[in-house]
Amino acid sequence: MSENKDFLRTIAEEDLATGKYKEVITRFPPEPNGFPHIGHAKSICINFGIARDYNGHCNLRMDDTNPTTEDMRYVEALKDAVTWLGFTWNGEVRYASDYFPKLYDYAVALIKMGKAYVDSLNEEEIKAYRGTVTEAGRRSVYAQRSVEENLDLFARMRAGEFQNGAHVLRAKIDMNASNMKMRDPLLYRIRHAHHFRTGDSWCIYPMYDFAHCLSDYIEGVTHSICTLEFENNRELYDWVLDALELTPPRPYQHEFARLGMNYTVMSKRKLLELVKGGYVNGWDDPRLPTIAGYKRRGYTAESILNFCEQIGIAKANSMVDVAQLEFCIRDDLNTKVPRVMCVLDPLKITIENYEGEEEIDASYYPHDVPKVGSRKLPFSKEIYIERDDFSENPPSGYFRLTPDQPVRLKHAYILTCKEVVKDENGNIVEIKATYHPESKSGADTSGIKVKSAIHWVSARHAKEVEVRLYERLYKVDAPEGLEDLNPDSLHVIPRAFAEPAVVCEKPDERFQFERQGYFYADPIDYTDAKPVFNKIVGLKDSWNKKSEPVASTPKPEAKKVHIEGEIAPMNAQEQERFERYTNTLGLNAEIANTLARDGALSAFYEEALLVFKSPVGIANIVANDVARELKQAEMLTFDAKDVAELAKLVDEGVISSSISRQVFEQMVKTGENPKAIVEAKGLTQISDPAQIVPIIDDIIAKNPENVAKYKAGNTKLLGFFVGQTLKATGGKANPSVVNALVEKALESM
């Protein structure tokens, strides 16, 4: 082990040295409700890495306690991420649902000990009784039920006699506790929902804080490693294990700082919004920070592991620059991949004094890369170069081809421009040039001095390929919502031209396209008939330089969110609003915080609510879109009634959430009524299968290879077909309807 151990490894070593544990046993316990992202990669590296370093083992356990959001395809994505990163879990994959009978028995034991009771308050009453960070809570009158009555009610909950929300099981701890997690927390809730593993055999499900610590104990976990947001949960973790008086050894929880990265969102809710709303093409879209996205884009497992090692393990949250991750993939690929030539924006050059064709020997690797390999580059009379590698009126410092300046063709000859051919609109369509036979690379006796070399391909021999250029998904370093999406995050070049070896000889699946960046043969869409390459990363970080001239409105200083366990600096009126928005209207803390602290925004929100009762839907529009316009515009072109009507159109399924963005932008520009905009532009959401099925059938018919891959087990392609369908309808199709219809169509084939 290194002398510079992180604090978690220091703890593990001390625990082994003192005999607290005989073996280090960790676990990676994700909830299977989405695809794992780069933050999960850090957790995977920590949990599996520590177990490996101390000759222990790590379990892979699915925290499948919420049947309404979980799915087997998410389980497969999590398994794939761990395997791809090079780790192996101990034994079979474990599931919290494996322990449902045992967890139920533990709950019964707590009831018998008088440490848990069945509460019949409704959700709003439970929130109201809970108190605030400055006020003690009140214990429910139902806490006085006898042990016998609690056992009876809990058994009947288990038997399915009650509807959702009728009762909950709570721990009896302390309604005056400063840590609000300890104010008689919920242990079980009723949820009549089909579970993807246990089916309908359970209708009550354990809460995370109850299931997690006991699952750790059942598995013999020693070090329960989690991120800092669970720091307040540690007291409850310990309480459950101590209250049950379990036989030692028992696990202990340790927290580390989660990964935060600029230009990136890692909230599962926001990622799901992007996928379901059709803003990206599935969970493996190369613009997403999911492991599947990085993998499809062409990132290597080694680059992700190096990144996680570089950022280290800390006790305080901080923001990591995404450029550091990009550096890691460049650094990894630099010594691995062959260098080839591909022209993305072709300009034809006819070499008037060259006849016939020849093959030029060219190495795949520069002299400083310790690898061998070469190919034959065909050279002929007609070639393509990049359009921006020629300038008729060059700026100062331009070293490529001009009417007065020759340039070297990489691996080949020096070229001199003789004539510029233009079309009737004055656009350059061809360059007529001459080459210097004595200037061949490696045997140049021409004496001609050039200042640069450019890449090229032989027009007759080049292979047509599709190239997908990816930029950052968000245009701001601290994205908050859909309004921060970068509209230029994907640029598809359907007809680029690559040297033939790339496609015919396939020396690798990753390449450095000379002077362009690193590229990867798309593992799903690539075919011999239509090669497709994804841009992994540029040769250098051009983002900051590119972004500098773009003026942007500075964001207001982030306001402190009301967090359990600490006192937020709100005045009495703001605090009252915050409590109402979270406890009564069900808003999340971030949105509630934004509205509660801004009097004008709050007033607008309240006015809209009087028109249409959609607390969450209206709040999202007001806190994100209306807030932006209030900061930027001198006068609003819409009012609260318009926003309420827009929310109503979404809630009633008239338009999709993605289309609502278009409608709002039109409201801002013209002041038109949202319903009138939808009708005039034909933006009504398409939910009728009769309209959607023909589109799906057409897409399936045009993609037989992807259908075959799906049938062979590549279920990730479901996202491809859904994305293509949404794209074909201009985002108007109902995403949930499309998802079901696509799945049905593929399964029926």
Side-chain angles (χ1 to χ4, degrees), residues 350-426:
T350 301
I351 306 173
E352 294 185 315
N353 64 333
Y354 187 92
E355 297 299 332
E357 58 185 54
E358 64 182 286
E359 289 185 329
I360 298 173
D361 287 319
S363 172
Y364 278 125
Y365 305 98
H367 64 85
D368 58 341
V369 173
K371 295 187 73 173
V372 295
S374 63
R375 78 283 196 192
K376 300 290 187 180
L377 272 175
F379 185 79
S380 61
K381 186 181 185 72
E382 294 181 344
I383 64 172
Y384 291 130
I385 67 169
E386 292 290 348
R387 187 166 295 276
D388 62 7
D389 278 344
F390 174 80
S391 178
E392 191 173 18
N393 300 293
S396 176
Y398 185 87
F399 297 139
R400 288 162 278 171
L401 185 63
T402 75
D404 303 315
Q405 179 173 270
V407 73
R408 176 172 294 283
L409 299 176
K410 179 84 171 182
H411 300 298
Y413 301 95
I414 292 175
L415 210 63
T416 296
C417 173
K418 290 301 181 184
E419 181 184 348
V420 179
V421 181
K422 300 181 180 180
D423 63 15
E424 63 274 13
N425 297 317

Side-chain angles (χ1 to χ4, degrees), residues 480 555-560 569-581 587 589-607 619 621-633 636:
E480 295 175 359
K555 288 184 177 292
E557 184 179 348
K559 297 171 181 177
K560 191 174 183 181
M570 293 182 179
N571 60 38
Q573 186 180 24
E574 291 171 343
Q575 182 69 37
E576 183 180 349
R577 283 200 293 253
F578 181 90
E579 296 289 345
R580 175 170 170 265
Y581 292 162
L587 307 188
E590 293 179 25
I591 296 292
N593 181 69
T594 299
L595 297 177
R597 294 175 184 274
D598 190 319
L601 213 56
S602 178
F604 191 102
Y605 174 61
E606 299 288 354
E607 185 178 349
I621 298 173
V622 174
N624 294 305
D625 304 312
V626 176
R628 184 186 68 241
E629 293 304 315
L630 280 174
K631 290 185 180 76
Q632 297 177 352
L636 296 181

Side-chain angles (χ1 to χ4, degrees), residues 198 349 366 459 467 475 491 553 626 685 693 697:
T198 62
I349 290 186
V467 174
K475 60 188 176 184
H491 179 52
T553 303
V626 176
Q685 180 167 258
V693 168
D697 291 342

Side-chain angles (χ1 to χ4, degrees), residues 405-462:
Q405 179 173 270
V407 73
R408 176 172 294 283
L409 299 176
K410 179 84 171 182
H411 300 298
Y413 301 95
I414 292 175
L415 210 63
T416 296
C417 173
K418 290 301 181 184
E419 181 184 348
V420 179
V421 181
K422 300 181 180 180
D423 63 15
E424 63 274 13
N425 297 317
N427 299 312
I428 299 174
V429 294
E430 183 183 358
I431 302 294
K432 293 185 178 180
T434 59
Y435 88 114
H436 301 272
E438 68 279 12
S439 66
K440 190 173 183 179
S441 291
D444 186 355
T445 60
S446 68
I448 300 172
K449 301 296 183 182
V450 294
K451 296 181 178 179
S452 69
I454 62 175
H455 62 280
W456 56 277
V457 292
S458 168
R460 192 169 79 82
H461 302 89

Side-chain angles (χ1 to χ4, degrees), residues 17 28 54 99 109 118 171 314 326 417 433 445 464 468 475 506 588 632 655 664:
F28 174 54
Y54 295 100
Y99 313 133
V118 174
E326 293 167 349
C417 173
T445 60
E464 188 174 307
R468 298 170 182 174
K475 60 188 176 184
K506 297 180 180 176
N588 68 47
Q632 297 177 352
I655 60 175
F664 183 84

Side-chain angles (χ1 to χ4, degrees), residues 263-316:
Y263 294 100
T264 309
V265 298
M266 282 184 272
S267 156
K268 282 188 179 178
R269 176 183 60 79
K270 291 181 179 180
L271 291 175
L272 189 62
E273 180 181 31
L274 293 172
V275 173
K276 287 196 170 182
Y279 298 98
V280 293
N281 298 317
W283 283 101
D284 65 346
D285 189 298
R287 292 166 292 180
L288 287 180
T290 56
I291 303 300
Y294 286 122
K295 185 178 177 183
R296 183 171 180 183
R297 185 161 177 166
Y299 273 68
T300 60
E302 293 82 1
S303 67
I304 301 292
L305 295 172
N306 290 339
F307 172 69
C308 291
E309 183 177 353
Q310 284 184 16
I311 61 178
I313 304 173
K315 293 184 179 181

Side-chain angles (χ1 to χ4, degrees), residues 31-32 61-68 70 94-108 154 158 187-189 191 193-208 210-212 214-215 218-219:
E31 184 179 357
R61 180 175 73 238
M62 302 298 160
D63 177 29
D64 56 340
T65 56
N66 186 354
T68 62
E70 296 158 354
R94 293 164 167 82
Y95 297 85
S97 56
D98 291 338
Y99 313 133
F100 280 177
K102 186 66 175 175
L103 296 176
Y104 179 81
D105 290 343
Y106 281 133
V108 169
F154 192 51
R158 166 72 179 92
L187 303 181
Y188 268 87
R189 78 286 206 198
R191 186 156 288 175
H194 184 81
H195 190 282
F196 75 98
R197 291 191 76 245
T198 62
D200 299 318
S201 59
W202 289 88
C203 60
I204 59 170
Y205 292 91
M207 303 299 289
Y208 167 84
F210 186 66
H212 185 68
L214 289 170
S215 297
I218 292 168
E219 293 178 7

Side-chain angles (χ1 to χ4, degrees), residues 714-732:
N714 190 347
T715 55
K716 295 178 184 177
L717 282 167
L718 178 67
F720 165 79
F721 288 104
V722 171
Q724 291 296 310
T725 305
L726 292 172
K727 187 184 297 183
T729 62
K732 292 188 290 184

